[in-house]
Structure formats: structure tokens, C-alpha cells
Amino acid sequence: MDAVRVALLREVLAGTEWLGATRHFAGTLRGSVVSHGGGLLLVGTPEYEPWHLAAHLVDEAAWSGTPELAPTLVRHDARPTDPAHLAVGLGRLEAARRGETLLVVAPGEPPAALLERVSDARRAGATLLSLGPEAGELPALAHEVLPVPDGSELDLDTVQHLVSAAAGENALPARRGRRRLRDRLSRLADLLTAPPPIRW
């Protein structure tokens, strides 16, 4: 899905909860990887690998000048003979540590073996984000959840397009803190140094 189609989809979804939810989740994702200096791990289930989301996040990382958004795709059936970007296996989750972000994308409850690895990564200090199931062990473990339940207006693939596009936006809402204060001071300085209005 290209930028034009995403823009059209956003127009169609105006007034629904999806736009705010996907932007909030994307903001959390971006904030996590940028504040910790990167280290985004992306994993799905044995039946559902989010390689399409990985590709979009790589593009958004390049276009937005935010290299931290480029994920490492962790695969269930990775082989050493695969190309480097497809050869990272589940063992990478065991090495996840504080400062890294783990995004799990699943259409339903992941298998127990994956949940165990994800839980271990969280215990080791990784930030855990979940995209998919509304209930179950995965959302209970996650720091941030964007549920895409069965039968919802949008499918999981479409929601991933919205999330990746929003994660790459440079105009995400400003975080509270220094930037916001700096913006207000800058605006005040502009008002104080502007020439007086001309009276006729």
C-alpha cells in the first residue's frame, strides 16, 4: 500500500477510533526505539511472519530519517543459508535486553514456545508491544497493545500499514517536556519581537 492509498484510507477512517489508536501505538513504537537508541525486533507466529511490515518500517526509517525504526525480522524457520535480513532466528529473542523493543504481530494467540521467549525478553528488560490479539497471554504481557480482533472493520494487514505510516511521520504529537516548553518559549519570543501592529 503506497502513501496515496494510506491517505485515502485515513480519509475513509476519519471519525473512527482506528486513526487515533494506530497513531498512538505508532508513537509508542517510535518513542521506544528512538529513546533507547534502536534495537527493534519484529516477530510473528510460525504461520504469520510480518515481513511486509518489516519492509514498510525499513522504508519509513529511511524516509523519516529515523534509522531506529528499521527492524530486525525474527523468523521461526530461519536458515543460515537465507539472505542476512531473513536469517535471524528465534535465538535472537533470548539475547533481547533492556533498551530493545520487541514488537509481536499475531492474528491470534501465539504458541506457548513463542510466548515463553517473549516473556523472557520482557523479564530481561525489553519493551514489549503487541499487535493482534485482544485477549490472552500476549496482550497481558505487553507494555502496549493495539488489538485487532477477529471481525473488526480492519484486518491485521491494513492496521500494519497504518501503524508503519504513522511511525514514520515526522509530525507525531510532541512529547511533554523540554520540546514543548521550548516551543512555547519560541512562540513567545516571536510575539515579543514582532513589530507592533499598524494602526490606521
Side-chain angles (χ1 to χ4, degrees), residues 34-174:
V34 170
S35 65
H36 293 120
L40 174 58
L41 303 174
L42 177 61
V43 67
T45 65
E47 299 80 26
Y48 188 91
E49 289 191 334
W51 59 268
H52 200 71
L53 176 59
H56 280 293
L57 285 172
V58 167
D59 289 344
E60 294 296 339
W63 294 332
S64 67
T66 312
E68 299 90 348
L69 280 175
T72 297
L73 179 61
V74 178
R75 301 182 60 227
H76 291 263
D77 295 321
R79 293 179 293 273
T81 56
D82 290 335
H85 67 288
L86 298 175
V88 179
L90 290 176
R92 178 61 181 89
L93 297 182
E94 294 168 10
R97 295 290 174 257
R98 181 171 307 283
E100 292 185 298
T101 302
L102 173 57
L103 172 55
V104 182
V105 180
E109 183 73 0
L114 177 59
L115 286 170
E116 186 176 334
R117 290 174 189 255
V118 166
S119 178
D120 290 345
R122 181 188 159 121
R123 273 197 298 277
T127 300
L128 176 60
L129 306 178
S130 166
L131 180 57
E134 184 174 28
E137 196 172 336
L138 177 60
L141 283 171
H143 293 98
E144 186 75 32
V145 178
L146 179 56
V148 187
D150 286 337
S152 63
E153 305 88 359
L154 299 180
D155 63 12
L156 187 57
D157 290 335
T158 303
V159 172
Q160 289 176 72
H161 283 289
L162 291 170
V163 167
S164 62
E169 289 177 342
N170 287 322
L172 288 172

Side-chain angles (χ1 to χ4, degrees), residues 19-35 69 129 144 162-169 172-173 175:
L19 285 184
T22 54
R23 281 197 165 122
H24 173 78
F25 187 83
T28 301
L29 171 63
R30 183 176 172 140
S32 178
V33 298
V34 170
S35 65
L69 280 175
L129 306 178
E144 186 75 32
L162 291 170
V163 167
S164 62
E169 289 177 342
L172 288 172
R175 286 185 286 171

